[in-house]
Amino acid sequence: MNTIGYTFRFTDFGESHGVAVGGVVDGYPAGLHIDNAAIRVDLDRRAGRTLPVEWQFAVSPRALSEQDEPEFLSGLLDNITLGTPVAFLIRNTNVRSEDYETLKNICRPAHADAVYQNKYGIRDYRGGGRASARETAARVVAGSMAKQYLQTRNITIGAYIAQVGDAVTQEDITSLLKRVKAEGDSVGGIVECVVRGLPVGVGEPLFDKLPARLAAAVMSINACKGFDYGSGFCGVNQWGSDLNQVSGGALGGISDGTDFHFRCVFKPTPSMAKNIPGGRFDVCIALRAPVIVEAMAAMTIADLVIQSESGI
Amino acid sequence: MNTIGYTFRFTDFGESHGVAVGGVVDGYPAGLHIDNAAIRVDLDRRAGRTLPVEWQFAVSPRALSEQDEPEFLSGLLDNITLGTPVAFLIRNTNVRSEDYETLKNICRPAHADAVYQNKYGIRDYRGGGRASARETAARVVAGSMAKQYLQTRNITIGAYIAQVGDAVTQEDITSLLKRVKAEGDSVGGIVECVVRGLPVGVGEPLFDKLPARLAAAVMSINACKGFDYGSGFCGVNQWGSDLNQVSGGALGGISDGTDFHFRCVFKPTPSMAKNIPGGRFDVCIALRAPVIVEAMAAMTIADLVIQSESGI
Amino acid sequence: MNTIGYTFRFTDFGESHGVAVGGVVDGYPAGLHIDNAAIRVDLDRRAGRTLPVEWQFAVSPRALSEQDEPEFLSGLLDNITLGTPVAFLIRNTNVRSEDYETLKNICRPAHADAVYQNKYGIRDYRGGGRASARETAARVVAGSMAKQYLQTRNITIGAYIAQVGDAVTQEDITSLLKRVKAEGDSVGGIVECVVRGLPVGVGEPLFDKLPARLAAAVMSINACKGFDYGSGFCGVNQWGSDLNQVSGGALGGISDGTDFHFRCVFKPTPSMAKNIPGGRFDVCIALRAPVIVEAMAAMTIADLVIQSESGI
Amino acid sequence: MNTIGYTFRFTDFGESHGVAVGGVVDGYPAGLHIDNAAIRVDLDRRAGRTLPVEWQFAVSPRALSEQDEPEFLSGLLDNITLGTPVAFLIRNTNVRSEDYETLKNICRPAHADAVYQNKYGIRDYRGGGRASARETAARVVAGSMAKQYLQTRNITIGAYIAQVGDAVTQEDITSLLKRVKAEGDSVGGIVECVVRGLPVGVGEPLFDKLPARLAAAVMSINACKGFDYGSGFCGVNQWGSDLNQVSGGALGGISDGTDFHFRCVFKPTPSMAKNIPGGRFDVCIALRAPVIVEAMAAMTIADLVIQSESGI
């Protein structure tokens, strides 16, 4: 389904080469001022324009130039939320008029083209369609709204690039990106995210545990192949006495009042210059992922905060 | 919430020291014979009784001796499913009559006692309550039923211990477990799981992708700290050209007809002899986790298979 | 599905001739004392034992003698709710040991036997199965719990018989019931219900309006054929200037702080002495319906009250 | 919430004086051609333009002149559904530029203004906002799509005016409407609806019975005060032996293969010339309701048909 959340709900729509992408945020608390500038900053982050200058060569030129601007359709009066659904759309301006007929019968390897064709008996052959990363623009808008709500609770969410390939410092990452780019290849990356200010009690037993819900939300992002938190996969080598009661932010799946740390990994994209000469692709899609990770975390936490405040 | 799934739905109830644990399976297809012996085998696996003999010393004696037997309350006629909800319970026979009064005001560190107390203003102080691993017995029964349904579709799910601490062979694991036990300590582990026979098309865009839903289901298990699939976290060090189109079983979040592989990591338990002299604890709780991982995977996949067969 | 509600959720299970009927209440606020005596009174009302003596001849003797006693399995400590799921069961003691083989291939007319057989390819031929009014015992237990929660908000719900056939006074109803009984026939009835103490703001736009949710809940009761509120069906003959701003308790589907009145109609049962000589049936099933109507209303309003208190 | 349905899901957004109303249809089967002309006919019906000429004087001139045209944003390729969410919007062209400041502090009696203000602490004072009947335009578009899907199953839904005030023939209705109009008053009406072609087995026990779900859907329409089916409220005066096994289309809440008949009642609107001199209002809002009733019935039945076809 294309809806996520129970109380704070986001319904997402749109294909990459259709009229628009967008969404409907339902359950957003009334009376909050929506800061459009903050949304614009997040869309800039998604485009790669806020990355360190020395990394920007590694971003697809098309992404860098995208000027997405959401049009809000409902739920606001003078930019104040009414408690009714907030719908918005972002028109797809990059849809070119070229003849797509040649793509009609080609399913790109390592893409979702063939599974969509098989599952639905039809697909939007003009591009990635619903499976394109284009849809993340809508997530970023809704996520930015969710972060603004969480700020009223003093909860902040920050994600950043922790690793690219085997490189973990900005300098090493720069060198690695250059090397990968030179080979026309692509490389994976790890994004880390910290949630600060969570009160005790966010997350629900049994199946809506905070880490479980965050894992689902983050792993719904294209190319994300793993999620861990606290001691995570590295903890397998530790003994119980080493862990020193580090909770990772949750006990029994419910926030314990300490910061919540999680990581997620993005695989190298299969679209690369080596395979498609002349194409200008992201060398490492993880670079532009942090704001999307924040968006998914923010929507999930907003949902669980509202649930925990309802006293059930 | 204590319900998981949309079409195949499992509602779980019970505290460790209450009358019973159990659950209600709703949406189970009608006309299938339920194999009680297969359920019993899965409960034996959860108790640790099917582990290699040389590992059994590492299992809590209480777990090894648990003789759980589900009582089915509804949804069956001569063990054939009626299409109506299948409710079952497992009575808590290990609840001792001792005086729990002394535990009333003690919240064990690194357990969920304090967060439950804070969230609900009350908790079942007689034991782990709702946060106890006791509830996984109900998951195993429902999961065993889900696996039986999937077998009618030729889908099989198998999970196994892949790593304990840094040991990856049965022999090395045995030595490590002995060492950890001797120190009164505990150690983490990694469980791997393979899903075979999945047709193309299982999993839904955008937020009910197969890996996203599996991640949530598996990470709702106590002590699970991470989930990955396909190239996973290890893939961060690979380049796009290395991956050679390995899909990991899903493209765009939808099964592509190949086997689906995933891993999950369990942290060392904080309950260990070192901390609580005289206690007899699991040295590595991951040892008994594979059947629970299978259960969560099976329920999730049953839910998504039914959805994909409904043609939406 | 066998679950109703979003935040206050009730999952119901059980066939009339299976082991038990029962349910799981999830989302019940923590820290409330459950009054078992009040539940017992409601089960007495369902059995018909609290009806005026002069009406009791019109109730099935089997119903009158039913001594249902719920066994609580979870969610309670010393009868205080823990905030975890409250599961309970009521064993089916009236299940006779007779040979049901003769019923195996008979679908009773005007009953759901044939549609169940057709929909599921199987049915519980030992009795009404899932479609039997037996399941309402579980609704009454959960509804009684819901009413206890609502009392903490000073919200009360009271339903009563307003009409039997064309009779609207106790005396006329008595005479009519005698006449219908004498003919071995059955007759319909109307139940009215008043909800008092609702604060302003209960009910959600657009599809979870208070009257919409109540209608669905009440019309899920067997034999209920209609629901109206406020001016209702009678209002069709009124002009706008007559209505004098009577809201019926809700405006735009949201409670407005006045009492909420609704009615529902129960058809005459198709099981009657005329058709099945020797059978001893309810002459008017509406007589025992008010407590079930209250139960469905209480669960629905509890769900919507919790939602409205969560501030979304 | 602003979403209805489980498998066929409709999310509705928009205020009467905001940018647009619209919605997202999720779960619509792939590969169907959407007939825009049929949608336009349904929007014409909603505007009152297809009513008998002699009734059109009774419709608000503004409604009659509304030229709503949905813009589809996603989910379609050459008007064929892709199996992805179909989003659409209808811009609000009637939003006048007048100064709304004077309305800011006025809550119209018998409207939802005050309950919205109370519930959310804010409301869209420029008009009825979310509570305006304007939102039904979006329902009609989604409902028209649902009817097109049902036609592929040979299921048809037709609603019509059965009664206005106490008048039940076209001639009497015409006279009555003239009389009411002359007095500057308003009058209620009853809409009947017949669902033909339903296979056996549509509707789910226990809480998603066909009549229960239809009641909720229809009663979510503004001004609808009651719903009944089969023998309905009139059946209260009948005896069991009269009913002659008339099922009304469902047994145990599940369709039995016969036509399903239901009725719903709309109260007279509180907005009338008598109260607001110079205003030009609908004399009987029920006149334009049948297409909205069809829409709600169609979405509900599409949802339940998909569920029943999924074999759960």
Side-chain angles (χ1 to χ4, degrees), chain A residues 1-4 6 10 12 109-112 115-116 118-120 130-131 135 139 163-166 176 179-180 183 185-190 200-209 211-213 215-216 219-222 224-233 235-241 243 245-248 250-252 254-256 263-265 267-270 272 274-275 296 307-308 312, chain B residues 1-4 6 10 12 109-112 115-116 118-120 130-131 135 139 163-166 176 179-180 183 185-190 200-209 211-213 215-216 219-222 224-233 235-241 243 245-248 250-252 254-256 263-265 267-270 272 274-275 296 307-308 312:
Chain A
M1 286 293 168
N2 297 279
T3 298
I4 192 165
Y6 297 100
F10 174 54
D12 181 294
H111 285 76
V115 294
Y116 266 74
N118 186 303
K119 185 178 179 72
Y120 296 108
R130 189 70 183 137
E135 54 84 4
R139 301 191 192 212
Q163 189 173 334
V164 171
D166 56 1
L176 177 60
R179 242 165 55 227
V180 177
E183 304 237 0
D185 215 320
S186 65
V187 67
I190 289 176
V200 180
V202 176
E204 302 292 322
L206 206 67
F207 300 118
D208 287 312
K209 287 177 172 150
R213 286 288 304 278
M219 293 207 57
S220 76
I221 304 172
N222 277 348
C224 181
K225 307 295 272 189
F227 172 98
D228 68 4
Y229 80 102
S231 55
F233 275 97
V236 71
N237 291 323
Q238 292 176 300
W239 289 22
S241 52
L243 284 181
Q245 326 288 9
V246 173
S247 72
L251 285 168
I254 299 169
S255 64
D256 64 357
R263 298 189 312 159
C264 51
V265 61
K267 70 168 181 182
T269 173
M272 45 188 168
K274 209 172 212 168
N275 290 348
M296 297 314 297
Q307 282 178 56
S308 71
I312 54 162
Chain B
M1 288 292 168
N2 296 278
T3 299
I4 193 165
Y6 297 100
F10 173 55
D12 181 292
H111 285 76
V115 294
Y116 266 74
N118 185 302
K119 184 177 179 72
Y120 297 109
R130 188 71 182 136
E135 53 84 5
R139 300 189 193 213
Q163 189 173 333
V164 172
D166 56 1
L176 177 60
R179 242 165 55 226
V180 176
E183 305 236 2
D185 214 321
S186 65
V187 67
I190 289 176
V200 180
V202 176
E204 301 292 323
L206 206 68
F207 300 119
D208 287 312
K209 286 177 172 150
R213 287 289 302 280
M219 293 207 56
S220 77
I221 304 171
N222 277 347
C224 180
K225 307 295 270 189
F227 173 97
D228 68 4
Y229 80 102
S231 54
F233 274 98
V236 70
N237 291 324
Q238 291 176 300
W239 290 21
S241 52
L243 286 180
Q245 328 288 9
V246 172
S247 73
L251 285 168
I254 300 169
S255 65
D256 64 358
R263 300 189 309 158
C264 52
V265 62
K267 70 168 182 180
T269 173
M272 45 189 170
K274 207 171 214 169
N275 291 347
M296 297 314 298
Q307 282 178 54
S308 71
I312 54 162

Side-chain angles (χ1 to χ4, degrees), chain A residues 145-163:
Chain A
M145 289 178 61
K147 285 187 283 188
Q148 294 181 32
Y149 161 66
L150 292 174
Q151 277 161 13
T152 68
R153 299 296 191 266
N154 294 315
I155 300 168
T156 59
I157 298 177
Y160 50 89
I161 290 289
Q163 189 173 334

Side-chain angles (χ1 to χ4, degrees), chain C residues 1-4 6 10-13 109-112 114-116 118-120 130-131 135 139 163-167 176 179-180 183 185-190 200-209 211-213 215-217 219-243 245-248 250-257 263-270 272 274-275 296 299 304 307-308 312, chain D residues 1-4 6 10-13 109-112 114-116 118-120 130-131 135 139 163-167 176 179-180 183 185-190 200-209 211-213 215-217 219-243 245-248 250-257 263-270 272 274-275 296 299 304 307-308 312:
Chain C
M1 288 290 167
N2 297 278
T3 298
I4 193 166
Y6 297 100
F10 174 55
T11 299
D12 181 293
F13 63 81
H111 285 76
V115 295
Y116 266 75
N118 186 302
K119 185 176 178 72
Y120 297 109
R130 188 71 182 136
E135 53 83 5
R139 300 190 193 212
Q163 188 172 334
V164 171
D166 56 0
L176 176 61
R179 242 164 56 227
V180 176
E183 304 236 1
D185 214 320
S186 64
V187 66
I190 289 177
V200 181
V202 176
E204 302 292 323
L206 206 64
F207 300 118
D208 287 311
K209 287 178 171 146
R213 287 288 304 278
M219 293 208 55
S220 77
I221 304 171
N222 277 347
C224 181
K225 307 295 271 191
F227 173 97
D228 68 3
Y229 80 102
S231 54
F233 274 98
C234 304
V236 71
N237 291 323
Q238 292 176 300
W239 289 21
S241 52
D242 295 333
L243 286 180
Q245 327 286 10
V246 173
S247 73
L251 285 168
I254 300 169
S255 65
D256 64 357
R263 300 188 309 158
C264 51
V265 62
F266 291 86
K267 69 167 182 182
T269 171
M272 45 190 170
K274 207 171 214 170
N275 291 347
M296 297 314 298
M299 288 192 269
L304 292 171
Q307 283 179 54
S308 71
I312 54 162
Chain D
M1 286 292 168
N2 296 278
T3 297
I4 192 166
Y6 297 101
F10 174 54
T11 299
D12 180 295
F13 63 81
H111 285 76
V115 294
Y116 266 75
N118 186 302
K119 185 176 178 73
Y120 297 108
R130 188 69 183 139
E135 54 84 4
R139 300 190 192 212
Q163 189 173 333
V164 171
D166 56 1
L176 176 60
R179 244 166 53 227
V180 176
E183 304 236 1
D185 215 321
S186 65
V187 66
I190 288 177
V200 180
V202 176
E204 302 292 322
L206 206 66
F207 301 118
D208 288 310
K209 287 178 173 149
R213 286 288 303 278
M219 294 208 55
S220 77
I221 304 172
N222 276 348
C224 181
K225 308 296 272 190
F227 172 98
D228 67 3
Y229 80 102
S231 55
F233 274 97
C234 304
V236 71
N237 291 323
Q238 291 176 300
W239 290 21
S241 52
D242 295 333
L243 284 182
Q245 327 288 8
V246 173
S247 72
L251 285 168
I254 299 170
S255 64
D256 64 357
R263 299 188 310 158
C264 51
V265 62
F266 291 85
K267 70 167 181 181
T269 172
M272 46 189 167
K274 208 172 213 168
N275 291 347
M296 296 315 297
M299 288 192 270
L304 292 171
Q307 282 178 54
S308 71
I312 53 162

Side-chain angles (χ1 to χ4, degrees), chain B residues 102-109 113 123 125:
Chain B
T102 54
L103 299 171
K104 224 170 174 169
N105 302 308
I106 298 170
C107 286
R108 295 164 297 166
D113 297 353
R123 72 178 213 286
Y125 54 81

Side-chain angles (χ1 to χ4, degrees), chain D residues 297-308:
Chain D
M299 288 192 270
T300 302
I301 291 172
D303 190 27
L304 292 171
V305 165
I306 293 171
Q307 282 178 54
S308 71

Side-chain angles (χ1 to χ4, degrees), chain A residues 10 23 31-32 36-37 39 57 105 139 142 154 168 171 180 214 240 247:
Chain A
F10 174 54
L32 269 71
N36 286 333
I39 294 173
F57 75 91
N105 301 308
R139 301 191 192 212
N154 294 315
V168 294
E171 204 177 337
V180 177
L214 283 171
S247 72

